[in-house]
Amino acid sequence: VTARLKLKPLRSALTQAGFLDARKEVREMMKAAHGDRDVLQCWMTRRLDGEPLPWLTGLTTFLGNTVRVDRGVYVPRFQTELVARRAIDRLPDGGLACDLATGSGALAVALGNARRAARVIATDIDGDACRCARKNGVEVYQGHLGSPVSVELHGCFDVVVAVVPYVPTDQLDFLPRDVRRYEPRVALDGGSRGLVFLEQAVWWAAVLLRQRGTLILELGGDQDRELLPILANAGFALADRLLDEDGDLRGIEASRL
Ligand SMILES: C[S@@+](CC[C@H](N)C(=O)[O-])C[C@H]1O[C@@H](n2cnc3c(N)ncnc32)[C@H](O)[C@@H]1O
């Protein structure tokens, strides 16, 4: 009863501030704070200021996997689970996958846990992201997209999956305030039309994948159409467009010819 009385004002404060799932958020904070009131109070202040919940608790859930997310590292989105599921479907057990721009390593963790006998390699340009992914048990290398991957593995991958920054630079100002304020720009800014890293990921995938290997990219808007000529030039055929429950484009699957 005491705990309930204490939780109620916390829930109300979050609800009044517009947080949609205040009950769940308070529950997660309580659990991670081990009931320490001072920690909880500090986290509440930071949360009400818009800081991502996983940066406070240090944890999030991605496709049923518990993933550590350090402060300053991009928080994996549940929308990305669609892309992760498709990557898992295409990865044979005992196969080889590469997660370009892995962030916390959430996708690599999901792939590795779903395909225990597979090897999953990941990369990220950001040192903090690499450290975080490593804490999640991911084999990660720091550098630009596919460049840190050993040359001996070129042409050997069954699956390349990538959630690169793909927000067009001129759209960054329209992202939710808290995203703009807290999440690292290096994780979001996709340059002109959001295509800069998507294009480079396609070219790296052409280097890394075996014939008939699969490339899965997260993207949005009409970026699938814009990417078509690049895919064709790099030797890919578009295999599928990944739509969410609302019919919005969330990604593409392409096959290396
Ligand atoms: C949108 S986040 C996605 C992270 C992760 N895949 C996920 O879904 O949670 C994009 C990531 O790309 C990384 N990044 C940005 N530029 C990069 C580059 N040139 N090469 C590799 N990674 C890069 C960022 O550090 C960030 O972790």
Side-chain angles (χ1 to χ4, degrees):
V1 174
T2 321
R4 251 185 243 134
L5 285 173
K6 282 178 197 156
L7 290 185
K8 207 171 167 195
L10 302 181
R11 273 205 308 265
S12 306
L14 287 177
T15 305
Q16 275 164 26
F19 289 85
L20 293 179
D21 207 346
R23 181 181 294 271
K24 183 168 162 268
E25 294 220 1
V26 170
R27 219 185 304 125
E28 279 185 33
M29 278 195 261
M30 275 296 282
K31 192 172 168 210
H34 303 293
D36 186 321
R37 288 167 60 117
D38 294 335
V39 170
L40 203 57
Q41 196 48 59
C42 170
W43 285 356
M44 275 297 290
T45 308
R46 285 166 59 187
R47 186 65 187 126
L48 286 167
D49 202 40
E51 203 168 326
L53 182 65
W55 287 8
L56 310 178
T57 62
L59 296 172
T60 194
T61 303
F62 183 78
L63 211 63
N65 300 281
T66 300
V67 176
R68 179 182 177 132
V69 184
D70 289 340
R71 204 170 180 190
V73 176
Y74 179 85
V75 176
R77 305 297 205 265
F78 85 92
Q79 292 93 332
T80 299
E81 293 185 351
L82 189 64
V83 163
R85 269 195 208 97
R86 184 59 63 93
I88 289 167
D89 285 349
R90 296 294 176 255
L91 180 62
D93 219 2
L96 183 61
C98 188
D99 175 20
L100 300 175
T102 194
S104 65
L107 256 156
V109 168
L111 278 165
N113 284 343
R115 298 280 178 264
R116 291 281 178 185
R119 181 177 177 195
V120 183
I121 289 174
T123 72
D124 202 286
I125 197 86
D126 178 48
D128 288 339
C130 288
R131 272 184 289 279
C132 181
R134 227 163 265 135
K135 288 179 203 161
N136 280 314
V138 174
E139 180 184 351
V140 61
Y141 302 95
Q142 186 172 0
H144 175 65
L145 297 176
S147 61
V149 177
S150 161
V151 177
E152 278 100 78
L153 293 174
H154 287 186
C156 296
F157 286 84
D158 301 290
V159 170
V160 170
V161 62
V163 183
V164 296
Y166 63 89
V167 181
T169 304
D170 61 8
Q171 302 290 313
L172 287 170
D173 286 345
F174 302 109
L175 289 172
R177 188 200 64 157
D178 295 342
V179 175
R180 273 184 283 128
R181 191 140 152 223
Y182 283 104
E183 299 222 45
R185 192 183 168 108
V186 68
L188 303 168
D189 188 352
S192 170
R193 293 177 293 150
L195 293 175
V196 170
F197 296 105
L198 286 170
E199 287 191 23
Q200 293 176 13
V202 170
W203 285 106
W204 269 111
V207 171
L208 297 175
L209 284 169
R210 63 167 169 78
Q211 260 193 333
R212 283 182 288 285
T214 302
L215 167 64
I216 296 157
L217 289 175
E218 182 169 293
L219 42 68
D222 58 0
Q223 287 174 328
D224 57 334
R225 220 170 19 83
E226 303 212 56
L227 218 52
L228 273 180
I230 290 108
L231 285 167
N233 283 340
F236 285 94
L238 184 65
D240 201 5
R241 298 163 75 248
L242 310 185
L243 306 178
D244 65 17
E245 285 168 358
D246 298 324
D248 292 327
L249 181 72
R250 292 288 176 193
I252 56 160
E253 175 183 345
S255 182
R256 175 114 164 73
L257 298 170

